[in-house]
Amino acid sequence: MDRRLTTTFQFGLILNALFFLFYGFQSLNSQLMIDEFKRFGMTDSQRKFTGILQIAGSAGVLAGLIIPVIGLLAAAGFTAMMLVAFLVRIKIKDSILQAMPSIIFILINGWLTVGFFKLW
């Protein structure tokens, strides 16, 4: 079995890490994200914890380029995080369009999780 990372996998992994890094910092600093978390019914502590997890997960996904098991855990964590985000969107009765980013990131991180699992 070929255990090398494909260019598509590497590109998806890096793009995913950049998105979560961006949103992690936004969760910590952006008034828009502060307002969104309030709308979600979440506390400031939960918002900050989510931001820290997103930043740490980004580092973990990137570390997966060298140590696949770390990437596996980070991508699986992001998959779970986005599933919770989707469920929150359902709970607060957001539209499917508003929930779409969580669905897309569930699929991307599920794909990354499987890819890392195959490398491990």
Side-chain angles (χ1 to χ4, degrees), residues 85-94 99:
F86 177 69
L87 295 174
V88 167
R89 296 284 189 167
I90 290 172
K91 179 182 175 193
I92 65 171
K93 299 187 183 338
D94 274 357

Side-chain angles (χ1 to χ4, degrees), residues 42-117:
M42 300 177 84
T43 66
D44 271 348
S45 296
Q46 289 170 314
R47 174 184 54 81
K48 291 174 184 175
F49 184 61
T50 299
I52 291 166
L53 285 177
Q54 289 174 327
I55 293 167
S58 294
V61 168
L62 291 172
L65 290 167
I66 299 166
I67 306 168
V69 69
I70 294 174
L72 169 70
L73 294 172
F78 278 151
T79 304
M81 180 186 286
M82 291 296 96
L83 178 59
V84 170
F86 177 69
L87 295 174
V88 167
R89 296 284 189 167
I90 290 172
K91 179 182 175 193
I92 65 171
K93 299 187 183 338
D94 274 357
S95 71
I96 191 71
L97 188 60
Q98 290 169 303
M100 193 57 66
S102 60
I103 295 167
I104 291 168
F105 280 107
I106 288 168
L107 296 173
I108 290 169
N109 283 286
W111 170 66
L112 291 175
T113 300
V114 170
F116 279 125
F117 184 77

Side-chain angles (χ1 to χ4, degrees), residues 24-52:
F25 282 112
Q26 290 295 307
S27 292
L28 295 175
N29 300 307
S30 163
Q31 187 61 50
L32 177 66
M33 292 302 286
I34 292 169
D35 294 342
E36 278 292 279
F37 272 79
K38 285 179 185 172
R39 189 173 75 82
F40 300 153
M42 300 177 84
T43 66
D44 271 348
S45 296
Q46 289 170 314
R47 174 184 54 81
K48 291 174 184 175
F49 184 61
T50 299
I52 291 166

Side-chain angles (χ1 to χ4, degrees), residues 4-16 65 108 111-112 115:
R4 291 176 295 169
L5 297 171
T6 66
T7 303
T8 303
F9 188 83
Q10 289 176 16
F11 179 75
L13 178 155
I14 291 167
L15 194 59
N16 186 63
L65 290 167
I108 290 169
W111 170 66
L112 291 175

